Amino acid sequence: DGGITQSPKYLFRKEGQNVTLSCEQNLNHDAMYWYRQDPGQGLRLIYYSQIVNDFQKGDIAEGYSVSREKKESFPLTVTSAQKNPTAFYLCASNSGRLADTQYFGPGTRLTVL
Amino acid sequence: SQQGEEDPQALSIQEGENATMNCSYKTSINNLQWYRQNSGRGLVHLILIRSNEREKHSGRLRVTLDTSKKSSSLLITASRAADTASYFCATGRGSNYKLTFGKGTLLTVNP
């Protein structure tokens, strides 16, 4: 997990609320990624950013939003439009070439009550 | 869409035995990577093999890649209880294409 932190580790949300998951890295990486992991589903890409102030939708971006105002930070907001947000969320970073080795944070488990 | 598919979905072995996991993919790739995930934790990169390589070693890990069959295998020799984890393959089609992860193999090593 070294170099990438995610907070909080556990997060509980009531239906209809927006929540923001934090991801910070001190690896001086240009690119950052958000994945969602459901049991038996593997990892699915939500959003990614290759440079500051720019980001791209992944495979399942609906109901999520991101910002990349600083190189070190890539927060993910799970909006009320996301119908099934209960999942394990993983943040990753790398040098900027999408297919290169990625370094992952410890994850945030979001539960909707 | 899922590019890599691991096989088997779950594997249970005794400590000291070797564990072999396979990954198949559909399109041509630039590289293939293996990651490990302990329960409830983030993924840890294990090894990357490029499309022009056939075999790589790292400690007790041996990865092979057969581009003609579009498949890769991960061998863990002399397994330990601490190797218990999920193992994922991820394929990279090129620098401008995102990694695509499989659903993983859950390895249980019994002491």
Side-chain angles (χ1 to χ4, degrees), chain A residues 37 41 45 98-99 102 104-105, chain B residues 31 33 35 37 42 95 98:
Chain A
Q37 186 177 31
Q41 293 276 350
L45 183 64
L98 298 180
Q102 293 187 8
F104 284 80
Chain B
N31 69 60
Q33 303 176 35
Y35 290 79
Q37 182 182 35
S95 296
K98 60 187 187 298

Side-chain angles (χ1 to χ4, degrees), chain B residues 27-91:
Chain B
T27 64
S28 61
I29 60 170
N30 177 269
N31 69 60
L32 187 144
Q33 303 176 35
W34 284 92
Y35 290 79
R36 163 191 168 133
Q37 182 182 35
N38 288 79
S39 180
R41 305 290 297 275
L43 276 69
V44 175
H45 180 258
L46 295 176
I47 199 162
L48 180 153
I49 187 165
R50 301 195 184 282
S51 59
N52 61 352
E53 297 174 310
R54 292 296 168 259
E55 187 171 313
K56 284 190 83 169
H57 296 256
S58 176
R60 293 185 295 113
L61 306 180
R62 173 179 167 249
V63 169
T64 61
L65 178 64
D66 187 334
T67 53
S68 67
K69 295 181 179 178
K70 291 187 170 60
S71 68
S72 173
S73 67
L74 170 66
L75 169 68
I76 303 174
T77 60
S79 63
R80 306 165 182 168
D83 294 327
T84 294
S86 291
Y87 292 82
F88 294 87
C89 70
T91 52

